[in-house]
């Protein structure tokens, strides 16, 4: 077959000799689907094999965390058993793999690259298959690189680009679900100061914080300040907040601008009000009296 895609044009048969002739008429063809291609049994049909759907997504970008990677492939035709490689998974450590429509329970992990290799079973045309494996993320922070997949059969075109299945910014982190994006969830600013050290006096504590990830009420984000030894709070066990971020915090069922005092542990719990959030890498400050 030639290298180009051709349709199901009619094939004719004719006869000429010195005595008579038979006019050209269409030849019968089976009309069957072959290798996932409609009328693939009918010459001169030629269809190009291609991986139409090829995407990759991760479950978490947290440094050093267990991370699920899903690779999804779908072919324009039936695909025989075939090896595929995905890379680069820079700095990752392979843990385990699981499969949909794949043949073996073993995945080969190659540190050269690094890449991951797997063998597919026969994939039916236009039906997607997902290959899932787990890694431990590296501890070095990095952005998601360009991801590639390479089928062992060169008819698919060699090295192909993997689309990142869920691009964009989530929880204030660009590329959160893009494979091999690695970040740390941490407070980059966390300071506290007081207005007086004198005993039995009202003392104003001022807190400043900033996180690498968005903190949201939708995710039940609660900030706890612990070890405020010796502090005394009013009988209501609540604290009235002041400052730029005061309106973002609520006590359970209470109005904005309040925090809960936990006497047993001498700690303060700050819960974000419904619909509120603290953007990633944005400074927030508030004060309260004890």
């Amino acid at each position: 077959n030639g290298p180009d895609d051709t349709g199901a044009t009619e094939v004719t048969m004719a006869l000429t000799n010195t005595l008579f002739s038979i006019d050209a008429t269409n030849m019968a063809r089976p009309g069957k689907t072959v290798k996932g291609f409609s009328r693939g049994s009918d010459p001169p049909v030629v269809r190009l094999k291609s991986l139409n759907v090829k995407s990759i997504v991760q479950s978490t970008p947290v440094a050093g965390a267990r991370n699920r990677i899903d690779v999804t492939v779908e072919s324009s035709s039936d695909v025989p058993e075939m090896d595929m490689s995905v890379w680069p998974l820079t700095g990752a450590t392979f843990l385990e793999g699981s499969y949909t429509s794949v043949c073996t329970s073993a995945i080969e992990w190659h540190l050269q690259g690094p890449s991951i290799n797997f063998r597919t079973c026969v994939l039916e045309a236009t039906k997607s298959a997902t290959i899932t494996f787990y890694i431990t993320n590296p501890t070095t922070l990095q952005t998601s690189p360009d991801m590639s997949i390479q089928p062992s059969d060169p008819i698919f075109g060699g090295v192909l680009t993997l689309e990142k299945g869920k691009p964009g910014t989530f929880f204030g982190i660009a590329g959160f679900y893009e494979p091999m994006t690695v970040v740390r969830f941490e407070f980059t600013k966390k300071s506290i100061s007081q207005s007086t050290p004198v005993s039995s006096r009202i003392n104003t504590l001022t807190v400043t914080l900033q996180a690498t990830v968005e903190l949201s009420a939708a995710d039940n984000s609660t900030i706890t300040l612990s070890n405020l030894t010796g502090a005394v709070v009013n009988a209501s066990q609540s604290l009235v907040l002041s400052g730029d971020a005061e309106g973002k915090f609520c006590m359970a069922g209470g109005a904005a601008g309040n925090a809960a005092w936990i006497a047993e542990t001498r700690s303060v719990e700050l819960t974000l009000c419904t619909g509120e959030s603290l953007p990633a890498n944005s400074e927030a400050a508030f004060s309260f009296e004890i």
Side-chain angles (χ1 to χ4, degrees):
N1 287 337
D4 299 322
D5 192 285
T6 60
T9 56
E10 296 292 346
V11 179
T12 62
M13 179 180 284
L15 172 69
T16 60
N17 63 27
T18 58
L19 299 177
F20 62 90
S21 64
I22 300 176
D23 292 338
T25 55
N26 294 339
M27 299 183 70
R29 292 177 292 177
K32 295 180 179 179
T33 297
V34 175
K35 301 294 185 182
F37 292 118
S38 175
R39 300 190 67 181
S41 64
D42 299 357
V45 170
V46 175
R47 291 289 183 257
L48 303 179
K49 285 187 174 183
S50 63
L51 291 179
N52 298 328
V53 175
K54 43 193 186 300
S55 63
I56 187 167
V57 65
Q58 70 177 8
S59 63
T60 178
V62 178
R66 177 185 174 91
N67 187 8
R68 170 177 170 155
I69 306 289
D70 289 327
V71 179
T72 301
V73 295
E74 180 183 302
S75 175
S76 61
S77 63
D78 290 349
V79 176
E81 291 188 11
M82 180 173 60
D83 292 326
M84 294 188 186
S85 298
V86 171
W87 76 88
L89 302 167
T90 307
T93 302
F94 175 70
L95 295 175
E96 59 183 302
S98 60
Y99 316 89
T100 299
S101 300
V102 292
C103 289
T104 120
S105 59
I107 286 184
E108 295 180 27
W109 177 245
H110 297 275
L111 293 179
Q112 297 83 3
S115 66
I116 193 163
N117 292 351
F118 51 89
R119 172 170 285 269
T120 66
C121 286
V122 175
L123 304 181
E124 295 182 40
T126 71
K127 291 186 177 180
S128 62
T130 299
I131 298 89
T132 296
F133 56 93
Y134 295 85
I135 60 173
T136 299
N137 282 339
T139 56
T140 302
L141 307 189
Q142 60 189 33
T143 58
S144 178
D146 292 335
M147 304 296 296
S148 299
I149 186 170
Q150 183 173 14
S152 58
D153 188 340
I155 198 170
F156 285 95
V159 178
L160 306 171
T161 299
L162 274 170
E163 297 177 3
K164 294 169 185 178
K166 199 173 180 180
T169 299
F170 299 86
F171 309 105
I173 295 174
F176 188 97
Y177 293 108
E178 298 178 20
M180 304 318 299
T181 294
V182 178
V183 299
R184 290 193 183 93
F185 288 1
E186 61 185 355
F187 288 109
T188 51
K189 290 184 180 178
K190 46 183 189 300
S191 65
I192 186 169
S193 63
Q194 65 180 9
S195 61
T196 179
V198 179
S199 64
S200 302
R201 296 294 178 88
I202 293 176
N203 188 9
T204 301
L205 303 186
T206 299
V207 176
T208 303
L209 62 88
Q210 180 175 306
T212 58
V213 62
E214 180 185 50
L215 307 180
S216 170
D219 302 314
N220 299 314
S221 295
T222 298
I223 298 168
T224 303
L225 309 178
S226 301
N227 298 324
L228 297 175
T229 305
V232 178
V233 175
N234 59 60
S236 68
Q237 302 296 289
S238 65
L239 297 168
V240 177
L241 304 178
S242 60
D244 295 341
E246 64 177 273
K248 291 185 175 292
F249 298 101
C250 295
M251 286 184 65
N258 292 275
W261 172 252
I262 312 301
E264 294 81 2
T265 57
R266 291 294 189 270
S267 59
V268 177
E269 286 189 356
L270 299 114
T271 301
L272 285 163
C273 301
T274 301
E276 291 290 350
S277 64
L278 297 178
N281 302 307
S282 178
E283 184 177 296
F286 56 87
S287 300
F288 57 90
E289 293 181 344
I290 57 172

